[in-house]
PDB file of all heavy atoms in Angstrom:
ATOM      1  N   LEU Y  41      44.047  58.071  38.057  1.00  0.00           N
ATOM      2  CA  LEU Y  41      42.585  58.397  37.812  1.00  0.00           C
ATOM      3  C   LEU Y  41      41.987  58.865  39.091  1.00  0.00           C
ATOM      4  O   LEU Y  41      41.132  59.773  39.004  1.00  0.00           O
ATOM      5  CB  LEU Y  41      41.911  57.143  37.290  1.00  0.00           C
ATOM      6  CG  LEU Y  41      42.349  56.678  35.826  1.00  0.00           C
ATOM      7  CD1 LEU Y  41      41.594  55.335  35.423  1.00  0.00           C
ATOM      8  CD2 LEU Y  41      42.005  57.804  34.851  1.00  0.00           C
ATOM      9  N   LEU Y  42      42.375  58.173  40.176  1.00  0.00           N
ATOM     10  CA  LEU Y  42      41.818  58.614  41.514  1.00  0.00           C
ATOM     11  C   LEU Y  42      42.173  60.007  41.933  1.00  0.00           C
ATOM     12  O   LEU Y  42      41.446  60.781  42.404  1.00  0.00           O
ATOM     13  CB  LEU Y  42      42.259  57.509  42.572  1.00  0.00           C
ATOM     14  CG  LEU Y  42      41.654  56.124  42.482  1.00  0.00           C
ATOM     15  CD1 LEU Y  42      42.405  55.201  43.533  1.00  0.00           C
ATOM     16  CD2 LEU Y  42      40.122  56.190  42.915  1.00  0.00           C
ATOM     17  N   ALA Y  43      43.462  60.320  41.678  1.00  0.00           N
ATOM     18  CA  ALA Y  43      43.906  61.720  41.907  1.00  0.00           C
ATOM     19  C   ALA Y  43      43.271  62.699  41.160  1.00  0.00           C
ATOM     20  O   ALA Y  43      42.857  63.742  41.637  1.00  0.00           O
ATOM     21  CB  ALA Y  43      45.461  61.741  41.603  1.00  0.00           C
ATOM     22  N   VAL Y  44      42.884  62.380  39.805  1.00  0.00           N
ATOM     23  CA  VAL Y  44      42.171  63.425  38.975  1.00  0.00           C
ATOM     24  C   VAL Y  44      40.746  63.516  39.501  1.00  0.00           C
ATOM     25  O   VAL Y  44      40.230  64.708  39.643  1.00  0.00           O
ATOM     26  CB  VAL Y  44      42.091  62.804  37.601  1.00  0.00           C
ATOM     27  CG1 VAL Y  44      41.098  63.650  36.716  1.00  0.00           C
ATOM     28  CG2 VAL Y  44      43.383  62.766  36.834  1.00  0.00           C
ATOM     29  N   ALA Y  45      40.095  62.412  40.110  1.00  0.00           N
ATOM     30  CA  ALA Y  45      38.804  62.402  40.617  1.00  0.00           C
ATOM     31  C   ALA Y  45      38.940  63.340  41.929  1.00  0.00           C
ATOM     32  O   ALA Y  45      38.009  64.155  42.313  1.00  0.00           O
ATOM     33  CB  ALA Y  45      38.354  61.025  40.962  1.00  0.00           C
ATOM     34  N   LYS Y  46      39.980  63.229  42.733  1.00  0.00           N
ATOM     35  CA  LYS Y  46      40.054  63.966  44.033  1.00  0.00           C
ATOM     36  C   LYS Y  46      40.283  65.477  43.794  1.00  0.00           C
ATOM     37  O   LYS Y  46      39.795  66.260  44.494  1.00  0.00           O
ATOM     38  CB  LYS Y  46      41.321  63.418  44.749  1.00  0.00           C
ATOM     39  CG  LYS Y  46      41.075  62.163  45.484  1.00  0.00           C
ATOM     40  CD  LYS Y  46      42.263  61.540  46.138  1.00  0.00           C
ATOM     41  CE  LYS Y  46      41.956  60.233  46.817  1.00  0.00           C
ATOM     42  NZ  LYS Y  46      43.159  59.629  47.580  1.00  0.00           N
ATOM     43  N   LEU Y  47      41.013  65.793  42.685  1.00  0.00           N
ATOM     44  CA  LEU Y  47      41.167  67.168  42.238  1.00  0.00           C
ATOM     45  C   LEU Y  47      39.979  67.746  41.334  1.00  0.00           C
ATOM     46  O   LEU Y  47      40.051  68.973  41.021  1.00  0.00           O
ATOM     47  CB  LEU Y  47      42.480  67.259  41.487  1.00  0.00           C
ATOM     48  CG  LEU Y  47      43.675  66.816  42.240  1.00  0.00           C
ATOM     49  CD1 LEU Y  47      44.918  66.715  41.289  1.00  0.00           C
ATOM     50  CD2 LEU Y  47      44.113  67.935  43.311  1.00  0.00           C
ATOM     51  N   SER Y  48      39.131  66.837  41.078  1.00  0.00           N
ATOM     52  CA  SER Y  48      37.961  67.297  40.197  1.00  0.00           C
ATOM     53  C   SER Y  48      37.030  68.255  41.040  1.00  0.00           C
ATOM     54  O   SER Y  48      36.988  68.356  42.209  1.00  0.00           O
ATOM     55  CB  SER Y  48      37.085  66.178  39.814  1.00  0.00           C
ATOM     56  OG  SER Y  48      35.904  66.623  39.180  1.00  0.00           O
ATOM     57  N   SER Y  49      36.244  69.073  40.248  1.00  0.00           N
ATOM     58  CA  SER Y  49      35.313  69.991  40.823  1.00  0.00           C
ATOM     59  C   SER Y  49      34.075  69.400  41.256  1.00  0.00           C
ATOM     60  O   SER Y  49      33.182  69.954  41.963  1.00  0.00           O
ATOM     61  CB  SER Y  49      35.151  71.181  39.899  1.00  0.00           C
ATOM     62  OG  SER Y  49      34.575  70.715  38.662  1.00  0.00           O
ATOM     63  N   LEU Y  50      33.897  68.191  40.723  1.00  0.00           N
ATOM     64  CA  LEU Y  50      32.577  67.461  41.061  1.00  0.00           C
ATOM     65  C   LEU Y  50      32.775  66.746  42.411  1.00  0.00           C
ATOM     66  O   LEU Y  50      33.686  65.947  42.694  1.00  0.00           O
ATOM     67  CB  LEU Y  50      32.439  66.288  39.927  1.00  0.00           C
ATOM     68  CG  LEU Y  50      32.146  66.793  38.523  1.00  0.00           C
ATOM     69  CD1 LEU Y  50      32.128  65.610  37.580  1.00  0.00           C
ATOM     70  CD2 LEU Y  50      30.948  67.673  38.500  1.00  0.00           C
ATOM     71  N   LYS Y  51      31.892  67.049  43.307  1.00  0.00           N
ATOM     72  CA  LYS Y  51      31.964  66.652  44.661  1.00  0.00           C
ATOM     73  C   LYS Y  51      31.747  65.109  44.763  1.00  0.00           C
ATOM     74  O   LYS Y  51      32.330  64.394  45.623  1.00  0.00           O
ATOM     75  CB  LYS Y  51      30.935  67.376  45.506  1.00  0.00           C
ATOM     76  CG  LYS Y  51      31.076  68.862  45.680  1.00  0.00           C
ATOM     77  CD  LYS Y  51      32.384  69.164  46.505  1.00  0.00           C
ATOM     78  CE  LYS Y  51      32.533  70.657  46.722  1.00  0.00           C
ATOM     79  NZ  LYS Y  51      33.762  70.926  47.504  1.00  0.00           N
ATOM     80  N   ILE Y  52      30.883  64.643  43.915  1.00  0.00           N
ATOM     81  CA  ILE Y  52      30.633  63.181  43.980  1.00  0.00           C
ATOM     82  C   ILE Y  52      31.838  62.345  43.596  1.00  0.00           C
ATOM     83  O   ILE Y  52      32.171  61.180  44.248  1.00  0.00           O
ATOM     84  CB  ILE Y  52      29.528  62.755  43.066  1.00  0.00           C
ATOM     85  CG1 ILE Y  52      29.112  61.214  43.137  1.00  0.00           C
ATOM     86  CG2 ILE Y  52      29.825  63.123  41.530  1.00  0.00           C
ATOM     87  CD1 ILE Y  52      28.625  60.836  44.522  1.00  0.00           C
ATOM     88  N   LEU Y  53      32.701  62.791  42.634  1.00  0.00           N
ATOM     89  CA  LEU Y  53      33.902  62.062  42.334  1.00  0.00           C
ATOM     90  C   LEU Y  53      34.945  62.212  43.466  1.00  0.00           C
ATOM     91  O   LEU Y  53      35.636  61.236  43.792  1.00  0.00           O
ATOM     92  CB  LEU Y  53      34.542  62.634  41.046  1.00  0.00           C
ATOM     93  CG  LEU Y  53      33.804  62.390  39.760  1.00  0.00           C
ATOM     94  CD1 LEU Y  53      34.467  63.095  38.508  1.00  0.00           C
ATOM     95  CD2 LEU Y  53      33.589  60.930  39.450  1.00  0.00           C
ATOM     96  N   GLN Y  54      35.035  63.359  44.022  1.00  0.00           N
ATOM     97  CA  GLN Y  54      35.905  63.631  45.205  1.00  0.00           C
ATOM     98  C   GLN Y  54      35.549  62.592  46.376  1.00  0.00           C
ATOM     99  O   GLN Y  54      36.524  62.028  46.914  1.00  0.00           O
ATOM    100  CB  GLN Y  54      35.871  65.020  45.695  1.00  0.00           C
ATOM    101  CG  GLN Y  54      36.409  66.135  44.734  1.00  0.00           C
ATOM    102  CD  GLN Y  54      36.289  67.506  45.364  1.00  0.00           C
ATOM    103  OE1 GLN Y  54      36.111  67.648  46.447  1.00  0.00           O
ATOM    104  NE2 GLN Y  54      36.351  68.416  44.392  1.00  0.00           N
ATOM    105  N   ARG Y  55      34.217  62.602  46.705  1.00  0.00           N
ATOM    106  CA  ARG Y  55      33.855  61.724  47.826  1.00  0.00           C
ATOM    107  C   ARG Y  55      34.076  60.187  47.513  1.00  0.00           C
ATOM    108  O   ARG Y  55      34.567  59.528  48.422  1.00  0.00           O
ATOM    109  CB  ARG Y  55      32.397  61.931  48.087  1.00  0.00           C
ATOM    110  CG  ARG Y  55      32.148  63.359  48.778  1.00  0.00           C
ATOM    111  CD  ARG Y  55      30.723  63.610  48.822  1.00  0.00           C
ATOM    112  NE  ARG Y  55      30.509  64.948  49.403  1.00  0.00           N
ATOM    113  CZ  ARG Y  55      29.299  65.587  49.518  1.00  0.00           C
ATOM    114  NH1 ARG Y  55      28.189  65.005  48.887  1.00  0.00           N
ATOM    115  NH2 ARG Y  55      29.302  66.808  49.971  1.00  0.00           N
ATOM    116  N   LEU Y  56      33.820  59.794  46.273  1.00  0.00           N
ATOM    117  CA  LEU Y  56      34.013  58.324  45.922  1.00  0.00           C
ATOM    118  C   LEU Y  56      35.406  58.008  45.999  1.00  0.00           C
ATOM    119  O   LEU Y  56      35.890  56.940  46.515  1.00  0.00           O
ATOM    120  CB  LEU Y  56      33.359  58.128  44.502  1.00  0.00           C
ATOM    121  CG  LEU Y  56      31.936  58.069  44.367  1.00  0.00           C
ATOM    122  CD1 LEU Y  56      31.470  57.949  43.018  1.00  0.00           C
ATOM    123  CD2 LEU Y  56      31.250  56.910  45.252  1.00  0.00           C
ATOM    124  N   ALA Y  57      36.337  58.882  45.418  1.00  0.00           N
ATOM    125  CA  ALA Y  57      37.718  58.711  45.385  1.00  0.00           C
ATOM    126  C   ALA Y  57      38.353  58.656  46.870  1.00  0.00           C
ATOM    127  O   ALA Y  57      39.150  57.787  47.187  1.00  0.00           O
ATOM    128  CB  ALA Y  57      38.619  59.677  44.566  1.00  0.00           C
ATOM    129  N   ASN Y  58      37.903  59.630  47.674  1.00  0.00           N
ATOM    130  CA  ASN Y  58      38.409  59.700  49.036  1.00  0.00           C
ATOM    131  C   ASN Y  58      37.997  58.451  49.945  1.00  0.00           C
ATOM    132  O   ASN Y  58      38.575  57.948  50.688  1.00  0.00           O
ATOM    133  CB  ASN Y  58      37.935  60.892  49.642  1.00  0.00           C
ATOM    134  CG  ASN Y  58      38.636  62.184  49.211  1.00  0.00           C
ATOM    135  OD1 ASN Y  58      39.939  62.041  48.832  1.00  0.00           O
ATOM    136  ND2 ASN Y  58      38.034  63.265  49.048  1.00  0.00           N
ATOM    137  N   LEU Y  59      36.611  58.002  49.663  1.00  0.00           N
ATOM    138  CA  LEU Y  59      36.143  56.880  50.287  1.00  0.00           C
ATOM    139  C   LEU Y  59      36.920  55.610  49.812  1.00  0.00           C
ATOM    140  O   LEU Y  59      37.176  54.728  50.767  1.00  0.00           O
ATOM    141  CB  LEU Y  59      34.606  56.656  49.898  1.00  0.00           C
ATOM    142  CG  LEU Y  59      33.887  55.406  50.368  1.00  0.00           C
ATOM    143  CD1 LEU Y  59      33.860  55.504  52.064  1.00  0.00           C
ATOM    144  CD2 LEU Y  59      32.506  55.280  49.855  1.00  0.00           C
ATOM    145  N   TYR Y  60      37.197  55.484  48.596  1.00  0.00           N
ATOM    146  CA  TYR Y  60      38.046  54.360  48.268  1.00  0.00           C
ATOM    147  C   TYR Y  60      39.354  54.295  48.867  1.00  0.00           C
ATOM    148  O   TYR Y  60      39.856  53.244  49.420  1.00  0.00           O
ATOM    149  CB  TYR Y  60      38.201  54.376  46.712  1.00  0.00           C
ATOM    150  CG  TYR Y  60      39.205  53.411  46.169  1.00  0.00           C
ATOM    151  CD1 TYR Y  60      38.647  52.041  45.881  1.00  0.00           C
ATOM    152  CD2 TYR Y  60      40.609  53.568  46.080  1.00  0.00           C
ATOM    153  CE1 TYR Y  60      39.541  51.124  45.439  1.00  0.00           C
ATOM    154  CE2 TYR Y  60      41.427  52.564  45.673  1.00  0.00           C
ATOM    155  CZ  TYR Y  60      40.929  51.324  45.281  1.00  0.00           C
ATOM    156  OH  TYR Y  60      41.708  50.403  44.844  1.00  0.00           O
ATOM    157  N   THR Y  61      40.014  55.422  48.969  1.00  0.00           N
ATOM    158  CA  THR Y  61      41.296  55.536  49.619  1.00  0.00           C
ATOM    159  C   THR Y  61      41.235  55.179  51.132  1.00  0.00           C
ATOM    160  O   THR Y  61      42.082  54.426  51.604  1.00  0.00           O
ATOM    161  CB  THR Y  61      41.962  57.019  49.514  1.00  0.00           C
ATOM    162  OG1 THR Y  61      42.081  57.219  48.075  1.00  0.00           O
ATOM    163  CG2 THR Y  61      43.280  57.071  50.147  1.00  0.00           C
TER     164      THR Y  61
END
Side-chain angles (χ1 to χ4, degrees):
L41 294 177
L42 289 171
V44 170
K46 290 179 180 181
L47 296 167
S48 170
S49 58
L50 297 176
K51 295 295 183 182
I52 183 65
L53 289 181
Q54 292 180 20
R55 289 172 181 170
L56 288 174
N58 287 326
L59 176 63
Y60 174 86
T61 302

